Amino acid sequence: MSAETMFAEKRVELSPRRARRGPGERLRTALLVLAEGYGEVTHHQERGWASITFSGTRHAVQLVFAGDAAVEAGENFVAALPDHEFTLYGQLVADAAITSVEHSQLPEPRMLVECELLLLLDG
């Protein structure tokens, strides 16, 4: 089941599939699936990362959850992210952490989540 059909009833638009998608785009799609289709990626920064034995990319991602159902999905996202087993072609998620969570109630319930992920080249 694709992410597009999984969230069709919520009218979430995920980017269409292309022949070649980079790790950042695949990561954003996986995060939206984990967010149950309610989150919106408002910021994504990607930078190279390397150690003596590994190389990859570090990602800082900001998601917004707006509305009662979305905030509930955001709470689930925060709880699930650190231990989630991602399946990203050619990448291994070595670390995933929530770095910030902000709640507001007016004019509607809203939750801002910031997270950082370290992706390593697999293979």
Side-chain angles (χ1 to χ4, degrees):
M1 175 183 290
S2 74
E4 290 84 0
T5 58
M6 183 185 300
F7 301 114
E9 69 276 4
K10 296 177 188 166
R11 298 174 198 230
V12 172
E13 295 181 24
L14 301 177
S15 59
R17 290 188 172 200
R18 288 185 244 152
R20 289 183 177 248
R21 297 187 317 154
E25 187 175 340
R26 289 191 299 269
L27 176 62
R28 283 190 301 275
T29 299
L31 290 172
L32 291 174
V33 169
L34 185 60
E36 302 170 33
Y38 284 105
E40 177 186 347
V41 175
T42 57
H43 176 77
H44 179 198
Q45 179 182 7
E46 178 179 346
R47 64 181 189 273
W49 180 92
S51 70
I52 293 174
T53 54
F54 299 104
S55 65
T57 52
R58 182 164 292 282
H59 298 260
V61 182
Q62 182 180 71
L63 296 97
V64 172
F65 298 85
D68 289 326
V71 169
E72 184 176 340
E75 294 289 351
N76 294 338
F77 177 86
V78 168
L81 179 71
D83 297 321
H84 183 70
E85 293 291 328
F86 287 91
T87 305
L88 300 173
Y89 177 76
Q91 304 288 316
L92 171 68
V93 178
D95 186 39
I98 301 295
T99 57
S100 173
V101 177
E102 295 178 21
H103 288 272
S104 61
Q105 294 299 318
L106 297 174
E108 69 176 344
R110 184 175 183 271
M111 182 175 171
L112 176 67
V113 177
E114 295 180 359
C115 55
E116 289 189 2
L117 298 99
L118 175 61
L119 276 61
L120 301 178
L121 293 174
D122 186 23

